[in-house]
Amino acid sequence: QAQLVESGGGSVQAGGSLRLSCAASGFTYPRDFLGWFRQAPGKEREGVAAVYPRGDSTYYADSVKGRFTISQDNAKNTLYLQMNSLKPEDTAMYYCAASVGLVRVPLLGKEYQYWGQGTQVTVSS
């Protein structure tokens, strides 16, 4: 059974860094896209970053460009999100997601079929 498990969340002060990890297992078919999403209380889910595993094309929300980096370790079946220069507005539950089908809009959550349970990131000012 396909599964995604996130880790690495925590509490940091503004300007700090965190690296999120997402371990994938049980996928029978190649994943077409991998992505990170976040949702803050009272807000809609937001696409943060996405990567096309077989081509290394990456996509970022404007709000995180230049601060966040998505990467993957295929040997470990692990997706990462390096987050630098964190801001209080980055506070949210962060989820990784995988798609095994055609993705037209990489930062749109409904394009993804598999989701992790989430990891909390809290940034204090």
Side-chain angles (χ1 to χ4, degrees):
Q1 184 175 353
Q3 189 175 19
L4 300 170
V5 179
E6 302 97 334
S7 61
S11 297
V12 296
Q13 289 192 328
S17 298
L18 282 174
R19 188 177 80 156
L20 305 184
S21 300
C22 173
S25 61
F27 282 85
T28 304
Y29 299 100
R31 289 145 286 166
D32 278 350
F33 261 91
L34 301 170
W36 286 99
F37 295 79
R38 66 186 181 187
Q39 188 166 22
K43 294 188 177 182
E44 293 187 355
R45 183 176 58 194
E46 173 189 20
V48 174
V51 61
Y52 180 60
R54 287 171 281 175
D56 278 340
S57 297
T58 56
Y59 305 81
Y60 295 95
D62 288 343
S63 58
V64 306
K65 279 181 182 176
R67 300 189 298 122
F68 291 11
T69 303
I70 189 171
S71 63
Q72 55 185 331
D73 184 333
N74 291 329
K76 296 182 179 179
N77 276 332
T78 301
L79 180 71
Y80 302 100
L81 184 68
Q82 178 67 43
M83 305 186 295
N84 298 329
S85 301
L86 283 162
K87 304 175 181 179
E89 51 263 44
D90 294 319
T91 295
M93 184 72 79
Y94 282 72
Y95 301 89
C96 70
S99 172
V100 296
L102 178 64
V103 171
R104 292 186 172 88
V105 185
L107 296 182
L108 186 62
K110 66 180 183 180
E111 300 268 20
Y112 294 78
Q113 299 83 37
Y114 297 93
W115 294 82
Q117 82 289 349
T119 187
Q120 178 67 38
V121 172
T122 302
V123 184
S124 58
S125 57

